[in-house]
Amino acid sequence: MDSNTTRTRVHSDTVYKATKEALLRRGVTIEDIAKIVYEMQLPYNEGLTMEHCEESVKSVLKKREMQHAILVGIELDELAEKKMLSEPLQSIVESDEGLFVVDETIALGSVFTYGSIAVTTFGHLDKNKIGIISQLDTKAGEQVHTFLDDLAASVAASAASRIAHRTRDLEEQNETFHDISPEETAPETKIEGATT
């Protein structure tokens, strides 16, 4: 293979940084998504804090599947805002046409890593539009968030699923979120033999 056909792999840190920057550029913070996770998981988790939820969101954003979905979706939203998509795709994305489900398909595909809890939670969020998801879904001004509202729901659903799996591991150790730091929200942390 000659040097002209050699492809460079993009380092994970670069993709993670680009993903966080893209979300911020579109007005979505880790805290915005963590608030949804907190609201959904607090009734089931003694000692759960916003910091636990923020850590879970950050962990989700480190997954390549999620990063790629976010980067592609945001790029399409931004191109639609600039009227740079070809017709009829431009009109379909710009108006978030009801039968256009590619946005949900990309977002749903990225939650599969976190299991059936994440999938059903995504469905709930897609229907009920909690927090920042509702703000993104509201078509105001020239902004297009056809993909981003579903992607925010995807991140929140995945982060909530991580919390739910961690809860089960903690219960088996007779612990709660009171007993762990936010950095220990990963299911495998401090749990001997845990595989969730």
Side-chain angles (χ1 to χ4, degrees):
M1 187 182 294
D2 67 48
S3 61
N4 291 335
T5 58
T6 303
R7 302 208 178 184
T8 306
R9 290 185 181 184
V10 180
H11 195 280
S12 296
D13 291 341
T14 302
V15 182
Y16 178 56
K17 182 180 177 200
T19 302
K20 290 193 304 181
E21 287 173 354
L23 287 170
L24 282 174
R25 185 171 71 242
R26 303 300 289 172
V28 179
T29 67
I30 287 171
E31 184 181 7
D32 289 331
I33 300 171
K35 284 177 183 176
I36 298 168
V37 177
Y38 184 73
E39 179 182 332
M40 294 181 65
Q41 288 295 313
L42 183 61
Y44 312 105
N45 293 288
E46 183 183 337
L48 185 69
T49 66
M50 268 293 291
E51 290 75 19
H52 289 114
C53 297
E54 288 174 8
E55 193 63 34
S56 190
V57 170
K58 289 176 190 174
S59 293
V60 167
L61 291 176
K62 289 179 182 172
K63 286 282 191 184
R64 281 283 181 141
E65 295 93 334
M66 190 63 71
Q67 294 166 349
H68 294 164
I70 290 168
L71 292 173
V72 167
I74 287 176
E75 187 85 8
L76 288 168
D77 282 345
E78 290 177 333
L79 288 172
E81 278 180 14
K82 296 172 186 173
K83 305 204 182 294
M84 293 179 69
L85 298 174
S86 58
E87 289 295 350
L89 186 59
Q90 174 65 40
S91 295
I92 292 168
V93 173
E94 193 174 9
S95 65
D96 196 2
E97 191 173 298
L99 293 177
F100 181 72
V101 294
V102 176
D103 47 339
E104 282 93 355
T105 303
I106 290 174
L108 181 59
S110 62
V111 303
F112 285 136
T113 303
Y114 293 95
S116 58
I117 296 172
V119 173
T120 56
T121 302
F122 172 77
H124 169 76
L125 290 173
D126 185 44
K127 181 176 180 181
N128 294 293
K129 313 286 188 202
I130 299 169
I132 189 72
I133 301 164
S134 174
Q135 294 170 38
L136 295 169
D137 186 57
T138 303
K139 294 156 189 66
E142 296 299 311
Q143 289 197 313
V144 175
H145 295 133
T146 298
F147 288 86
L148 186 55
D149 64 330
D150 297 302
L151 291 165
S154 178
V155 175
S158 298
S161 177
R162 288 182 82 258
I163 296 288
H165 282 285
R166 187 64 167 119
T167 301
R168 177 63 180 266
D169 291 334
L170 289 169
E171 287 171 353
E172 291 176 1
Q173 298 295 315
N174 294 315
E175 293 181 323
T176 69
F177 278 90
H178 280 301
D179 301 307
I180 64 169
S181 69
E183 293 77 25
E184 296 173 299
T185 58
E188 302 82 4
T189 309
K190 284 179 51 181
I191 305 293
E192 188 175 332
T195 57
T196 56

